[in-house]
């Protein structure tokens, strides 16, 4: 533990001209007294750590000293590519590896580039979860992530319907979608790939056996294809709706964008008032009611009759509310 802290202290001093005891204590999560002792230990070991006294003093390395401990390990290099997603790293248990990787990179950079991590962090940030939802980290995510990194087979139990199912899986990749973690995996002995929600796993056991990864597997491409299939699969009902020019512009923001565009392209020519009538695939009449309500008076539902009657009832109630 102390050896790792001493190495981190050297890397910190190598990446910056000087650091105060308070700054080092904050970065290393120790007391300033511990920083003083560690600096003395480094000096005795031959690392030229120099302490400047006074109000503007601090610790620095002298003589152009550079440690050779800046080579990236595999886990650190892999974590570095995800360093722009701090929440995801933390949830997968890779935060420490990413921190060490960033330090090593900073120590290896020329002085003019050492502020690169700071300037990048000031300009870009990824906030993955949806609004108004409190994301919960699946308890078994770190175990699954470890298996993904190491190409190790896992035996997973997961909830399906009212019961549980156990499968031996080859975990190919993880996807974070709108705050929800998914595993893309292949069932052992099968060629097809499937998607599993990590929060539905009840148990995960990783064995020592590694699987041979299909190097042609494209995780982003697979996810895009599967996500599109899923979006289309839930659109099991249809509504006939008439929309104004403004309603047509707003329709892709109220319902599935691709379905809206397809329906508009397939619609007949606008009538004399510029309104178009189209057949729109939707998840259900209940969902359609919620979505099309966003268009207000810019849309008129023509069918099914039950949905049209519901919108007519909404219109009468609104008229009564605003009559005064």
């Amino acid at each position: 533990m102390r050896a790792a802290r001493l190495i981190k202290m050297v890397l910190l001093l190598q990446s910056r001209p000087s650091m105060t005891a308070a700054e080092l204590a904050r970065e290393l999560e120790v007391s300033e007294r511990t920083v003083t002792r560690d600096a003395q230990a480094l000096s005795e070991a031959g690392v030229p750590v120099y302490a400047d006294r006074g109000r503007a003093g601090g610790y620095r390395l002298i003589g152009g000293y550079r440690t050779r401990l800046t080579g990236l390990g595999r886990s650190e290099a892999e974590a570095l590519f995800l360093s722009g997603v701090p929440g995801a790293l933390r949830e997968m248990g890779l935060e420490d590896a990413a921190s060490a990787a960033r330090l090593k990179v900073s120590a290896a950079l020329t002085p003019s580039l050492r502020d690169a991590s700071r300037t990048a962090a000031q300009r870009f940030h990824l906030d993955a979860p949806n609004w108004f939802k409190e994301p919960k980290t699946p308890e078994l995510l770190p175990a699954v992530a470890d298996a993904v990194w190491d190409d190790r087979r896992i035996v997973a139990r997961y909830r399906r319907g009212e019961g549980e199912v156990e499968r031996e899986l080859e975990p190919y990749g993880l996807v974070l979608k709108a705050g929800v973690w998914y595993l893309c995996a292949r069932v052992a002995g099968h060629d097809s790939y499937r998607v599993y929600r990590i929060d539905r796993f009840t148990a995960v056991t990783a064995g020592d056996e590694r699987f041979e990864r299909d190097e042609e597997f494209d995780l982003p491409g697979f996810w895009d294809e599967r996500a599109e299939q899923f979006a289309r699969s839930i659109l099991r009902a249809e509504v006939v709706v008439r929309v104004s020019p403004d309603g047509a512009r707003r329709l892709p923001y109220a319902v599935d964008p691709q379905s809206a565009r397809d329906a508009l392209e397939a619609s007949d020519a606008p009538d004399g008032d510029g309104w178009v009538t189209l057949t729109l695939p939707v998840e259900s009449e209940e969902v359609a009611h919620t979505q099309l309500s966003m268009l207000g008076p810019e849309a008129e539902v023509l069918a099914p009759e039950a949905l049209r009657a519901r919108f007519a009832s909404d219109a009468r109630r609104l008229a009564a509310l605003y009559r005064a």
Side-chain angles (χ1 to χ4, degrees), residues 51-97:
D52 289 317
R53 305 295 180 184
R55 192 171 186 178
Y59 292 91
R60 60 186 176 87
L61 295 174
I62 60 175
Y65 178 85
R66 301 191 65 79
T67 176
R68 296 181 180 178
L69 298 173
T70 53
L72 289 176
R74 170 167 289 274
S75 64
E76 295 167 344
E78 290 168 334
L80 186 63
F81 288 101
L82 293 172
S83 60
V85 195
L89 284 169
R90 184 170 54 254
E91 292 176 7
M92 287 191 291
L94 295 172
E95 189 173 30
D96 289 343

Side-chain angles (χ1 to χ4, degrees), residues 9-306:
M9 184 174 180
V10 173
L11 292 171
L12 284 167
L13 293 175
Q14 185 170 308
S15 64
R16 307 179 193 180
S18 177
M19 294 184 70
T20 66
E23 290 172 336
L24 283 168
R26 185 166 55 251
E27 291 280 355
L28 299 171
E29 299 180 350
V30 296
S31 66
E32 293 186 29
R33 180 173 296 181
T34 299
V35 168
T36 301
R37 289 198 296 265
D38 285 352
Q40 180 64 33
L42 287 171
S43 181
E44 292 174 355
V47 178
V49 178
Y50 180 78
D52 289 317
R53 305 295 180 184
R55 192 171 186 178
Y59 292 91
R60 60 186 176 87
L61 295 174
I62 60 175
Y65 178 85
R66 301 191 65 79
T67 176
R68 296 181 180 178
L69 298 173
T70 53
L72 289 176
R74 170 167 289 274
S75 64
E76 295 167 344
E78 290 168 334
L80 186 63
F81 288 101
L82 293 172
S83 60
V85 195
L89 284 169
R90 184 170 54 254
E91 292 176 7
M92 287 191 291
L94 295 172
E95 189 173 30
D96 289 343
S99 176
R102 287 192 294 269
L103 270 175
K104 290 183 176 183
V105 169
S106 296
L109 293 175
T110 61
S112 62
L113 295 178
R114 285 178 185 162
D115 65 342
S117 61
R118 179 182 61 83
T119 56
Q122 288 175 336
R123 289 164 173 79
F124 300 99
H125 176 68
L126 176 62
D127 185 11
N130 265 338
W131 288 103
F132 313 120
K133 289 186 178 180
E134 186 67 28
K136 294 183 179 180
T137 303
E139 182 179 346
L140 297 174
L141 176 61
V144 176
D146 284 344
V148 170
W149 285 122
D150 293 339
D151 293 339
R152 292 185 185 276
R153 287 184 176 176
I154 60 173
V155 176
R157 291 187 62 82
Y158 63 95
R159 294 187 298 274
R160 191 172 72 178
E162 298 297 323
E164 289 190 357
V165 177
E166 184 174 282
R167 291 284 186 272
E168 184 179 4
L169 302 175
E170 297 175 352
Y172 265 71
L174 289 167
V175 175
L176 177 60
K177 171 70 171 180
V180 179
W181 284 96
Y182 296 88
L183 172 68
C184 300
R186 186 166 62 182
V187 178
H190 294 73
D191 294 331
S192 60
Y193 298 92
R194 302 179 185 180
V195 177
Y196 302 86
R197 279 185 60 145
I198 303 295
D199 58 7
R200 292 180 181 168
F201 283 3
T202 59
V204 172
T205 304
D208 295 329
E209 183 182 0
R210 284 187 168 87
F211 63 90
E212 187 174 347
R213 174 178 287 268
D214 180 0
E215 296 301 330
E216 295 184 0
F217 176 75
D218 174 20
L219 179 60
F222 168 77
W223 178 259
D224 288 345
E225 180 181 353
R226 188 56 61 91
E228 183 178 354
Q229 291 174 357
F230 173 76
R232 295 304 180 94
S233 70
I234 64 175
L235 303 178
R236 301 186 181 94
E238 287 185 343
V239 299
V240 180
V241 61
R242 180 170 169 262
V243 294
S244 69
D246 186 46
R249 285 191 294 270
R250 291 162 53 186
L251 187 62
Y253 300 98
V255 301
D256 175 64
Q258 188 59 52
S259 297
R261 288 190 288 267
D262 291 346
L264 287 167
E265 289 177 3
S267 65
D268 295 331
D271 61 19
D273 296 323
W275 288 56
V276 295
T277 300
L278 51 90
T279 300
L280 184 70
V282 294
E283 185 174 346
S284 65
E285 289 187 20
E286 183 68 31
V287 172
H289 177 261
T290 300
Q291 294 174 329
L292 295 176
S293 293
M294 298 171 60
L295 301 182
E298 306 304 324
E300 177 190 4
V301 173
L302 303 179
E305 184 58 37

